[in-house]
Amino acid sequence: MHESASPAPTTMQVDDFGTLADGRSAKLYTLSHPSGLTARVTNFGATLVALEAPDRDGKVDDLVLGYDSVSGYESPRNPYFGATVGRFGNRIANGRFALEGKDYTLARNNDPGGIPCHLHGGEKGFSHVLWDAEPGLDGRSICFTYHSRDDEEGYPGNLIVKVTYTLTDDSELIWEAIATTDATTIINLVQHSYWNLSGDPSIPITDHELQLHADHFIPTNSGMIPTGELAAVAGTPMDFTTPCSIGARIEEDFEALVLGRGYDHCYVLSGPRENGMTNSARLTDPKSGRVLEVSTNQPAVQFYTANWVDESDFAGDNPPAKRGRQYGKRSACCLETENFPDAPNQPNFPSPVLKPDDTYRHVIIYRFSSL
């Protein structure tokens, strides 16, 4: 009788990742699996710094955009590379919302179309703070914890957030966020990685093929704030219900694409749920053969094609990107699973309210394979 093989071991390495402006040190945690899958995460912003995966020929490359040290991630020019953003990811109209009869005012730190709004948690949010870190006993996970104080960035309630990254034997990276509060608040935590499956960010992702399991998207005004409607994707350049190259229709004269300078839209997931999870996206790079499948327990996914990333963000006194690079427009895409943007002000959208007796849970499974 033969004994079954034990799961392949995952190893963890801890390194210094540089010093913050206030003198504190950041750490880099590397999870490595014998399959060739490696995830590097930092306790600054609970951020995914690198995800290395093999192509169809076994060549391993880094598939996410980012920086080589924490100074880049601390920079105000950092477009949330790989970060955990919150307390509310995406936009809130005019930086205002009402909750239990009280009005709240947040930072207006974004102004698409010249219309100010609140974006990704505010001036610092969760993406620009140092989290506590605790490696998992199994060696294949790392848990980050952050205590967001009452009135931090203008949000009510003391919020305890735990974000765990885990590598599995099924070529998956799992991101799980859990949060509790001592007073009613709003929440929409988002994982904000920029993906380029070629491993070469100088190659635009316009040749990547994408399938989104979504029959509707959320139209916006010129400030990228939802109108409150859901629009069918059928018959429009927003339709990715069947696989299509990202660049095939991105320059079409379609209002949503013109307003966003490309794709920067929330898609309402319509795929079947299994164990609370929905297949949301399948991204393929035909040249390398790499495939990324994304599933989540959230109702939507924001698809963004790095329309506002510019080489000047990495030039001059700005920190360069990894390996001294300068990323440009369309150098990657984001697939941000989430609740709907501006949900606190849209009564027809899924509620973002978290009460003291409830627990918020957001799970994403990134599964990697090759053609």
Side-chain angles (χ1 to χ4, degrees):
M1 181 176 179
H2 298 284
E3 294 184 0
S4 59
S6 60
T10 301
T11 59
M12 179 181 293
Q13 179 178 326
V14 184
D15 297 290
D16 291 330
F17 197 50
T19 304
L20 299 172
D22 64 7
R24 291 180 298 167
S25 297
K27 298 295 183 182
L28 186 69
Y29 302 84
T30 300
L31 299 169
S32 300
H33 193 277
S35 65
L37 201 65
T38 297
R40 306 184 195 280
V41 292
T42 177
N43 55 335
F44 185 76
T47 296
L48 179 64
V49 171
L51 193 290
E52 299 166 10
D55 66 7
R56 63 161 64 92
D57 298 318
K59 181 177 180 292
V60 174
D61 285 303
D62 183 6
L63 310 185
V64 297
L65 273 55
Y67 300 95
D68 286 324
S69 71
V70 75
S71 61
Y73 291 96
E74 192 177 22
S75 167
R77 303 301 287 270
N78 169 23
Y80 305 96
F81 285 144
T84 295
V85 299
R87 187 174 298 194
F88 193 94
N90 216 316
R91 294 182 172 91
I92 296 177
N94 201 36
R96 296 177 182 275
F97 68 95
L99 187 63
E100 295 185 332
K102 182 178 179 180
D103 294 329
Y104 292 89
T105 300
L106 311 172
R108 299 193 299 174
N109 58 317
N110 189 237
D111 60 351
I115 301 175
C117 67
H118 179 79
L119 177 68
H120 291 338
E123 299 294 344
K124 292 181 69 173
F126 294 173
S127 58
H128 285 70
V129 297
L130 201 63
W131 296 52
D132 294 329
E134 183 179 358
L137 297 177
D138 54 7
R140 62 179 61 214
S141 64
I142 177 76
C143 179
F144 300 111
T145 303
Y146 182 66
H147 181 185
S148 176
R149 304 288 179 180
D150 179 45
D151 200 38
E152 181 178 319
E153 296 280 5
Y155 291 94
N158 291 288
L159 191 78
I160 303 296
V161 185
K162 293 183 181 295
V163 167
T164 304
Y165 288 89
T166 304
L167 281 187
T168 77
D169 292 327
D170 296 321
S171 296
E172 296 169 340
L173 174 67
I174 300 176
W175 178 92
E176 181 179 33
I178 294 175
T180 56
T181 181
D182 66 356
T184 303
T185 189
I186 61 170
I187 189 168
N188 184 33
L189 302 181
V190 173
Q191 211 295 325
H192 206 293
S193 287
Y194 287 68
W195 301 96
N196 186 319
L197 300 188
S198 74
D200 183 354
S202 68
I203 301 174
I205 45 77
T206 45
D207 287 338
H208 281 39
E209 293 181 354
L210 177 67
Q211 183 177 19
L212 294 174
H213 300 283
D215 296 328
H216 293 82
F217 77 100
I218 299 177
T220 69
N221 62 21
S222 58
M224 302 305 290
I225 297 297
T227 64
E229 303 169 301
L230 304 184
V233 301
T236 78
M238 311 300 285
D239 190 352
F240 287 93
T241 52
T242 57
C244 180
S245 68
I246 290 173
R249 299 163 298 184
I250 198 169
E251 302 295 345
E252 286 194 17
D253 186 17
F254 185 76
E255 182 180 42
L257 295 176
V258 173
L259 292 177
R261 297 182 63 185
Y263 295 102
D264 188 8
H265 302 87
C266 186
Y267 283 77
V268 181
L269 296 176
S270 53
R273 285 188 174 265
E274 183 177 347
N275 297 323
M277 301 290 287
T278 300
N279 292 329
S280 59
R282 188 176 194 268
L283 184 67
T284 304
D285 174 35
K287 185 175 181 181
S288 69
R290 292 190 182 94
V291 178
L292 168 61
E293 295 173 281
V294 183
S295 58
T296 184
N297 65 341
Q298 295 300 292
V301 58
Q302 183 87 8
F303 171 45
Y304 172 54
T305 46
N307 310 320
W308 299 95
V309 175
D310 188 89
E311 287 89 346
S312 64
D313 293 331
F314 312 94
D317 294 333
N318 298 316
K322 292 177 186 175
R323 303 178 189 175
R325 290 168 167 161
Q326 295 179 347
Y327 303 139
K329 183 179 180 180
R330 313 267 196 266
S331 56
C333 68
C334 300
L335 296 165
E336 309 159 44
T337 64
E338 61 180 9
N339 196 353
F340 296 4
D342 199 36
N345 297 312
Q346 303 280 354
N348 295 328
F349 286 2
S351 173
V353 174
L354 179 67
K355 293 181 178 294
D357 293 335
D358 297 331
T359 298
Y360 171 89
R361 182 172 181 261
H362 181 172
V363 181
I364 312 170
I365 300 176
Y366 302 104
R367 188 175 189 278
F368 300 88
S369 60
S370 58
L371 299 173

